């Protein structure tokens, strides 16, 4: 098990780590952010023996916290009260309202309605979960989205989102221990986010995300200590497994 170092709280940030939040139910492993986020939220991890359909049903079950819905698991999710909304992710900085027509290529979702479950897929990129008590959001953040401002775009796009009240959890992604990039990419980020070891550049993408959130007045951040590439038994990793790698499912639902 390799953890990259947790950071000291800086300024107004409340930074924890989520290494103790890993759980397993019926053989499906996931990290549960619900207590911190105060809404159903988490990431379904590497579960090779389960179909994608069973993992979606698991997510619906996690988001069905009304008792009357518990015995309805296994239905066709499109026809039930809860609707899963996904994106065609393409490393853009585009944010869309999940209640409206979904653009083909986007990497961030938000919704204020309680009957929609937001889902994004990652394998080394970072899922970022947001909740201000009115609106929930979910972002797919890699280096391209970071550099083109996907995090700031979220706060511009979501009218009335209250960063000072919001809670944000950063899910597992590739750590600076493993995120080797070309010099051309490394030099696009400020030097505080890059390390040089044994002739190669490595990026601290999570550090960049934390700072972007802080610039947008986010006070409460749950930071993740796992590296997806170091822990390939637990996580899918593009860097470890190549382009045909499966992806993990992050979800958040306003509920209520
Ligand atoms: Zn690593």
């Amino acid at each position: 098990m390799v953890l990259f170092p947790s950071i000291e709280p800086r300024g107004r940030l409340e930074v924890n780590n989520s290494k103790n939040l890993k759980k397993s139910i019926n053989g499906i492993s996931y990290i549960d952010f619900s207590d911190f986020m105060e809404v159903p939220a988490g990431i379904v991890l590497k579960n090779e023996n389960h179909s994608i359909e069973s993992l979606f049903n698991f997510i619906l079950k996690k988001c069905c916290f009304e008792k009357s819905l518990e015995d309805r698991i296994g239905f066709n999710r499109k026809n039930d009260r809860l609707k899963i909304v996904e994106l065609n992710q393409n490393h853009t900085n585009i944010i869309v309202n999940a209640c409206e027509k979904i653009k083909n290529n986007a990497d961030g979702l938000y919704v204020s309605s309680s009957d929609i479950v937001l889902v994004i897929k990652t394998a080394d990129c970072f899922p970022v979960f947001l909740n201000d008590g009115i609106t929930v959001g979910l972002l797919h953040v890699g280096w391209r989205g970071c550099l083109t401002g996907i995090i700031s775009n979220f706060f511009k796009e979501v009218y009335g989102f209250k960063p000072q009240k919001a809670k944000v959890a950063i899910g597992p992604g590739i750590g600076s221990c493993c995120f080797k990039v070309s010099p051309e990419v490394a030099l696009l980020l400020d030097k505080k986010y890059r390390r040089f070891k044994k002739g190669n550049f490595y990026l601290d993408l999570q550090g960049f995300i934390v700072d972007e959130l802080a610039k947008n007045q986010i006070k409460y951040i749950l930071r993740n200590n796992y590296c997806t590439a170091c822990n390939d038994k637990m996580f899918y990793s593009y860097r470890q497994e190549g382009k045909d790698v499966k992806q993990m499912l992050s979800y958040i639902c306003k509920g209520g």
Side-chain angles (χ1 to χ4, degrees), residues 2 4 174-179 227-230:
V2 179
F4 51 88
I174 191 165
S176 57
C177 40
C178 295
F179 193 19
C227 167
T228 46
C230 284

Side-chain angles (χ1 to χ4, degrees), residues 162-200:
K162 296 180 178 58
Q164 301 248 347
K165 291 187 177 176
K167 289 188 155 187
V168 177
I170 303 172
I174 191 165
S176 57
C177 40
C178 295
F179 193 19
K180 186 162 77 177
V181 297
S182 68
E184 290 77 16
V185 171
L187 295 171
L188 295 173
L189 273 83
D190 187 278
K191 64 175 188 272
K192 71 189 274 200
Y193 306 114
R194 61 179 190 251
R195 311 188 186 342
F196 190 73
K197 63 180 183 192
K198 295 183 182 170
N200 292 297

